[in-house]
Amino acid sequence: MTSPAPSSHRPPRHPLPHRVAPAGPTSFGDHLRTWRQQRHLSQLALADEADISPRHVSFMETGRTNPSRDMVLRLCDRLAVPLRERNALLVSAGYAPMYRERALDDPALAAARQAVELVLKGHEPCPAIALDRCWNVVAANQAAHALLAAHVSPALLVPPINVFRLSLHPEGLAPRIANLAQWRAHLLERLRQQIQATADPALMALQAELQQYPAPPESSNLVLAGEMLGVVMPFCFESVHGMLSLISTTTIFGTPVDVTLQELAVESFFPADDFTSRVLRKLAQENAAPQVVT
């Protein structure tokens, strides 16, 4: 990536805060209680879901009974626990983890990696990025590179590159986003829902960090039409090429049995007007060679 172009309205330097993830549960009983409460279930309700007695649930939570491996998996299924956290529950109960976690460039995931690269390349000349569970960039097409590199501080482009931080940090895209309040609310709601689903301490730390950033100015209170129940989201920002209007969508893998694939998402942006479409096509002609960030 190239260094960002100078900006006459860049805000004062706002250093990246030190990020520390809060401690999570350790024993199986603590894990089980945390997930039961996360799903807003009583011991009686979970017992009914898992077809066991409330006393059995109570004994497992207090450590008086150690569950079998099959029981751990049954509880995880009833509580809709993500694969990464299922491994944590298995280990806390004394069993080996069941679901593998591999880097996307691992030979065993070659087919998945190729599919991601095809999706990113096929989305040109529009920006598209592949993200891990913490919204860090694991791959990006050339259009995404061209837009990010020209508009954010180099400090924010040091891996791992976090797209939430890029969007909301005062040295990122935030000062240029016309509908910043709307976009910020959208991102924080997605993060809140993900935390509700996963109870991931790293995501909680990211949420706390983002909430420390300055509140959007009144000039960014513009609410753009086109939002479709969180499925499609408008995004408008002042680029070095002029005001770009985009909409974004997110794609995830279906029913994966690998932690990495379950947590992988592809964020795709589409032009919302003719001017943006022309700018993206022009950038694609100027930057024909594809790039991938890992």
Side-chain angles (χ1 to χ4, degrees):
M1 290 184 178
T2 58
S3 297
S7 171
S8 59
H9 59 278
R10 185 172 294 283
R13 181 167 180 78
H14 188 93
L16 298 178
H18 180 62
R19 300 181 290 277
V20 179
T26 54
S27 70
F28 176 80
D30 288 340
H31 277 287
L32 180 58
R33 184 182 306 106
T34 296
W35 279 105
R36 178 177 59 77
Q37 294 173 347
Q38 189 80 5
R39 298 297 183 247
H40 306 290
L41 293 175
S42 65
Q43 289 185 344
L44 178 62
L46 177 58
D48 184 61
E49 289 283 341
D51 196 24
I52 57 178
S53 70
R55 184 176 180 179
H56 194 179
V57 173
S58 176
F59 278 21
M60 285 188 289
E61 288 191 358
T62 58
R64 295 180 63 180
T65 296
N66 194 51
S68 67
R69 185 174 181 275
D70 287 343
M71 177 58 67
V72 174
L73 295 176
R74 184 196 303 183
L75 292 168
C76 285
D77 183 62
R78 301 302 188 274
L79 292 168
V81 178
L83 301 187
R84 176 183 297 275
E85 286 71 27
R86 293 189 186 207
N87 280 342
L89 265 76
L90 284 166
V91 171
S92 68
Y95 305 105
M98 178 176 178
Y99 305 97
R100 296 195 62 179
E101 178 184 5
R102 294 165 286 204
L104 193 55
D105 59 1
D106 187 288
L109 297 182
R113 174 75 181 197
Q114 183 180 21
V116 170
E117 292 177 349
L118 286 173
V119 169
L120 297 181
K121 177 61 180 174
H123 197 61
E124 296 279 9
C126 302
I129 48 181
L131 306 161
D132 66 15
R133 79 184 194 283
C134 290
W135 302 96
N136 296 318
V137 178
V138 296
N141 66 9
Q142 181 58 41
H145 278 277
L147 290 179
L148 293 178
H151 300 102
V152 303
S153 166
L156 295 171
L157 297 177
V158 176
I161 302 171
N162 186 276
V163 293
F164 279 25
R165 193 174 297 120
L166 282 177
S167 290
L168 303 182
H169 194 279
E171 293 186 14
L173 293 175
R176 297 177 175 271
I177 300 176
N179 62 323
L180 178 58
Q182 181 185 24
W183 183 252
R184 180 177 184 270
H186 166 69
L187 295 186
L188 292 179
E189 176 59 19
R190 288 174 68 177
L191 189 56
R192 186 197 67 79
Q193 292 178 2
Q194 190 177 3
I195 290 171
Q196 180 67 25
T198 67
D200 191 323
L203 293 175
M204 296 178 191
L206 177 61
Q207 181 185 54
E209 175 193 334
L210 298 177
Q211 291 172 340
Q212 293 177 22
Y213 294 166
E218 291 185 5
S219 59
S220 68
N221 288 339
L222 173 66
V223 176
L224 299 178
E227 183 175 0
M228 297 174 59
L229 301 177
V231 177
V232 176
M233 183 68 194
F235 176 71
C236 186
F237 79 104
E238 182 65 43
S239 75
V240 295
H241 309 282
M243 186 65 74
L244 301 184
S245 296
L246 302 151
I247 58 173
S248 74
T249 63
T250 304
T251 304
I252 60 174
F253 280 79
T255 60
V257 293
D258 182 279
V259 173
T260 302
L261 295 184
Q262 185 186 58
E263 297 173 344
L264 190 66
V266 175
E267 189 86 1
S268 304
F269 292 85
F270 300 83
D273 59 29
D274 290 339
F275 174 77
T276 302
S277 182
R278 290 196 300 272
V279 169
L280 293 178
R281 288 198 300 268
K282 179 181 177 182
L283 288 175
Q285 293 171 356
E286 295 173 352
N287 304 280
Q291 295 184 20
V292 174
V293 172
T294 58

